[in-house]
Protein backbone atom coordinates (compact mmCIF):
# COMPACT_ATOMS: atom_id res chain seq x y z
CA UNK A 1 0.00 0.00 0.00
CA UNK A 2 2.82 2.41 0.81
CA UNK A 3 4.48 1.91 -2.60
CA UNK A 4 1.11 2.40 -4.29
CA UNK A 5 0.56 5.69 -2.41
CA UNK A 6 3.99 6.91 -3.46
CA UNK A 7 3.46 6.06 -7.13
CA UNK A 8 0.01 7.68 -7.33
CA UNK A 9 1.10 10.91 -5.63
CA UNK A 10 1.85 14.04 -7.60
CA UNK A 11 4.61 15.05 -5.17
CA UNK A 12 6.14 13.31 -2.15
CA UNK A 13 7.34 15.43 0.76
CA UNK A 14 9.82 13.88 3.18
CA UNK A 15 10.27 15.12 6.75
CA UNK A 16 13.02 13.90 9.05
CA UNK A 17 15.63 15.25 11.44
CA UNK A 18 19.13 14.04 12.26
CA UNK A 19 19.77 10.40 11.45
CA UNK A 20 16.22 9.98 10.15
CA UNK A 21 16.99 12.67 7.58
CA UNK A 22 20.01 10.67 6.41
CA UNK A 23 17.77 7.65 5.76
CA UNK A 24 15.33 9.87 3.84
CA UNK A 25 18.14 11.39 1.74
CA UNK A 26 19.33 7.88 0.87
CA UNK A 27 15.78 6.89 -0.14
CA UNK A 28 15.37 10.08 -2.18
CA UNK A 29 18.63 9.35 -3.99
CA UNK A 30 17.48 5.84 -4.94
CA UNK A 31 14.12 7.10 -6.16
CA UNK A 32 15.76 9.68 -8.43
CA UNK A 33 17.21 6.74 -10.35
CA UNK A 34 13.62 5.64 -11.03
CA UNK A 35 12.68 9.13 -12.24
CA UNK A 36 10.82 9.87 -9.00
CA UNK A 37 11.76 13.24 -7.53
CA UNK A 38 10.96 13.79 -3.87
CA UNK A 39 11.07 17.01 -1.86
CA UNK A 40 12.70 17.33 1.54
CA UNK A 41 9.95 19.31 3.25
CA UNK A 42 12.03 21.00 5.91
CA UNK A 43 15.16 21.56 3.85
CA UNK A 44 15.02 25.35 3.66
CA UNK A 45 13.34 26.08 7.02
CA UNK A 46 10.22 27.36 5.25
CA UNK A 47 8.25 24.54 6.78
CA UNK A 48 4.89 26.26 7.23
CA UNK A 49 4.96 27.64 3.68
CA UNK A 50 5.82 24.19 2.39
CA UNK A 51 3.14 22.46 4.45
CA UNK A 52 0.57 25.08 3.45
CA UNK A 53 1.18 24.32 -0.23
CA UNK A 54 0.83 20.53 0.03
CA UNK A 55 -2.39 19.25 -1.54
CA UNK A 56 -4.50 16.11 -1.40
CA UNK A 57 -2.72 14.94 -4.59
CA UNK A 58 0.57 14.86 -2.70
CA UNK A 59 1.92 12.59 0.02
CA UNK A 60 3.82 13.33 3.23
CA UNK A 61 6.25 10.86 4.80
CA UNK A 62 7.44 11.57 8.33
CA UNK A 63 10.43 9.55 9.51
CA UNK A 64 11.10 9.92 13.22
CA UNK A 65 12.09 7.34 15.80
CA UNK A 66 10.28 9.05 18.68
CA UNK A 67 7.57 10.96 16.77
CA UNK A 68 7.83 13.59 19.50
CA UNK A 69 8.55 16.65 17.35
CA UNK A 70 6.37 19.63 18.20
CA UNK A 71 6.72 21.15 14.73
CA UNK A 72 5.60 17.94 12.99
CA UNK A 73 2.56 17.76 15.26
CA UNK A 74 1.80 21.40 14.47
CA UNK A 75 1.59 20.56 10.74
CA UNK A 76 -1.18 18.00 11.31
CA UNK A 77 -4.19 20.41 11.32
CA UNK A 78 -3.11 21.92 7.99
CA UNK A 79 -2.37 18.54 6.41
CA UNK A 80 -5.66 17.11 7.65
CA UNK A 81 -7.54 20.20 6.45
CA UNK A 82 -6.01 19.69 2.97
CA UNK A 83 -6.78 15.92 3.06
CA UNK A 84 -3.12 15.07 2.56
CA UNK A 85 -2.26 11.38 2.95
CA UNK A 86 0.37 10.86 5.67
CA UNK A 87 2.77 7.96 6.17
CA UNK A 88 4.80 7.88 9.37
CA UNK A 89 7.82 5.67 10.05
CA UNK A 90 8.29 5.51 13.83
CA UNK A 91 8.73 3.29 16.85
CA UNK A 92 6.14 5.31 18.79
CA UNK A 93 2.85 4.11 17.29
CA UNK A 94 0.82 5.80 20.04
CA UNK A 95 2.19 9.27 19.33
CA UNK A 96 -0.02 12.08 18.08
CA UNK A 97 1.80 11.95 14.74
CA UNK A 98 1.28 8.21 14.29
CA UNK A 99 -2.36 8.26 15.41
CA UNK A 100 -3.10 10.98 12.83
CA UNK A 101 -1.33 9.16 9.99
CA UNK A 102 -3.03 7.11 7.31
CA UNK A 103 -0.26 4.50 7.35
CA UNK A 104 2.21 3.81 10.16
CA UNK A 105 5.30 1.72 9.50
CA UNK A 106 6.49 0.65 12.92
CA UNK A 107 10.15 0.51 13.79
CA UNK A 108 11.29 -1.87 16.52
CA UNK A 109 11.40 -0.13 19.89
CA UNK A 110 14.95 -1.29 20.66
CA UNK A 111 16.39 1.97 21.98
CA UNK A 112 15.62 4.02 25.06
CA UNK A 113 14.74 7.66 24.34
CA UNK A 114 16.66 8.74 27.43
CA UNK A 115 19.70 6.45 27.34
CA UNK A 116 20.35 6.26 23.62
CA UNK A 117 24.06 6.60 22.88
CA UNK A 118 23.99 5.81 19.18
CA UNK A 119 21.21 5.36 16.67
CA UNK A 120 22.69 2.36 14.87
CA UNK A 121 19.69 0.04 15.32
CA UNK A 122 17.02 2.61 14.49
CA UNK A 123 18.88 3.92 11.44
CA UNK A 124 19.46 0.41 10.14
CA UNK A 125 15.76 -0.33 10.56
CA UNK A 126 14.76 2.89 8.78
CA UNK A 127 17.11 2.11 5.91
CA UNK A 128 15.64 -1.39 5.67
CA UNK A 129 12.08 -0.04 5.45
CA UNK A 130 12.97 2.46 2.73
CA UNK A 131 15.05 -0.11 0.82
CA UNK A 132 12.07 -2.45 0.92
CA UNK A 133 9.71 0.24 -0.41
CA UNK A 134 12.23 1.07 -3.14
CA UNK A 135 12.49 -2.59 -4.14
CA UNK A 136 8.70 -2.89 -4.44
CA UNK A 137 8.51 0.19 -6.66
CA UNK A 138 11.49 -1.01 -8.74
CA UNK A 139 9.93 -4.46 -9.15
CA UNK A 140 6.57 -3.08 -10.36
CA UNK A 141 8.21 -1.97 -13.63
CA UNK A 142 11.29 -4.15 -13.38
CA UNK A 143 12.38 -4.30 -17.04
CA UNK A 144 11.77 -0.60 -17.66
CA UNK A 145 13.59 0.39 -14.46
CA UNK A 146 16.44 -2.05 -15.07
CA UNK A 147 17.10 -0.86 -18.61
CA UNK A 148 16.73 2.80 -17.67
CA UNK A 149 19.10 2.49 -14.71
CA UNK A 150 21.59 0.41 -16.71
CA UNK A 151 21.61 2.91 -19.60
CA UNK A 152 22.21 5.80 -17.20
CA UNK A 153 25.00 3.90 -15.42
CA UNK A 154 26.73 3.19 -18.74
CA UNK A 155 26.36 6.82 -19.83
CA UNK A 156 27.67 8.14 -16.51
CA UNK A 157 30.65 5.77 -16.51
CA UNK A 158 31.54 6.67 -20.10
CA UNK A 159 31.51 10.38 -19.24
CA UNK A 160 33.79 9.77 -16.25
CA UNK A 161 36.28 7.73 -18.27
CA UNK A 162 36.27 10.18 -21.20
CA UNK A 163 37.31 12.97 -18.84
CA UNK A 164 40.27 11.00 -17.48
Amino acid sequence: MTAYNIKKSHRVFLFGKGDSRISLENFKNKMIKLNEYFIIGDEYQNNFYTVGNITSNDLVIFCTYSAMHHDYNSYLPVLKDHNVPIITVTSNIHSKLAVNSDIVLQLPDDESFDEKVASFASQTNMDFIFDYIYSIIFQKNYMENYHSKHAKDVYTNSMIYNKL
Side-chain angles (χ1 to χ4, degrees):
M1 190 63 164
T2 301
Y4 171 78
N5 286 356
I6 290 171
K7 286 299 289 177
K8 78 173 187 149
S9 297
H10 176 65
R11 300 176 297 181
V12 177
F13 291 84
L14 307 172
F15 290 88
K17 299 178 185 301
D19 292 333
S20 300
R21 170 78 176 266
I22 294 168
S23 293
L24 288 172
E25 291 280 1
N26 187 23
F27 180 55
K28 177 184 172 189
N29 181 51
K30 287 179 177 143
M31 295 305 294
I32 286 171
K33 294 173 177 115
L34 301 182
N35 200 28
E36 298 285 342
Y37 293 87
F38 293 174
I39 300 161
I40 301 293
D42 44 9
E43 186 165 28
Y44 299 112
Q45 304 307 313
N46 291 323
N47 306 3
F48 284 102
Y49 289 108
T50 301
V51 170
N53 289 319
I54 299 173
T55 72
S56 60
N57 296 319
D58 300 323
L59 173 70
V60 168
I61 300 176
F62 290 107
C63 183
T64 165
Y65 182 78
S66 69
M68 304 292 274
H69 297 290
H70 173 72
D71 48 344
Y72 292 172
N73 288 330
S74 69
Y75 305 159
L76 290 172
V78 176
L79 295 172
K80 288 298 184 185
D81 189 47
H82 292 178
N83 296 313
V84 177
I86 301 170
I87 297 173
T88 298
V89 179
T90 185
S91 67
N92 189 356
I93 61 169
H94 302 294
S95 66
K96 180 178 180 182
L97 190 60
V99 169
N100 284 281
S101 297
D102 300 291
I103 297 173
V104 177
L105 302 174
Q106 185 178 6
L107 296 167
D109 189 9
D110 294 339
E111 299 174 10
S112 165
F113 295 128
D114 300 328
E115 300 171 4
K116 185 164 79 168
V117 176
S119 59
F120 176 77
S122 59
Q123 181 141 19
T124 301
N125 289 322
M126 287 176 196
D127 289 341
F128 175 80
I129 286 174
F130 290 118
D131 285 349
Y132 184 71
I133 295 167
Y134 167 80
S135 70
I136 292 170
I137 293 171
F138 191 97
Q139 182 271 333
K140 290 282 184 195
N141 293 316
Y142 178 80
M143 291 309 292
E144 177 185 332
N145 289 329
Y146 174 79
H147 290 301
S148 174
K149 185 177 179 318
H150 179 70
K152 291 171 189 158
D153 288 345
V154 168
Y155 178 74
T156 302
N157 288 336
S158 70
M159 289 191 56
I160 291 170
Y161 290 120
N162 286 337
K163 290 186 178 186
L164 295 178

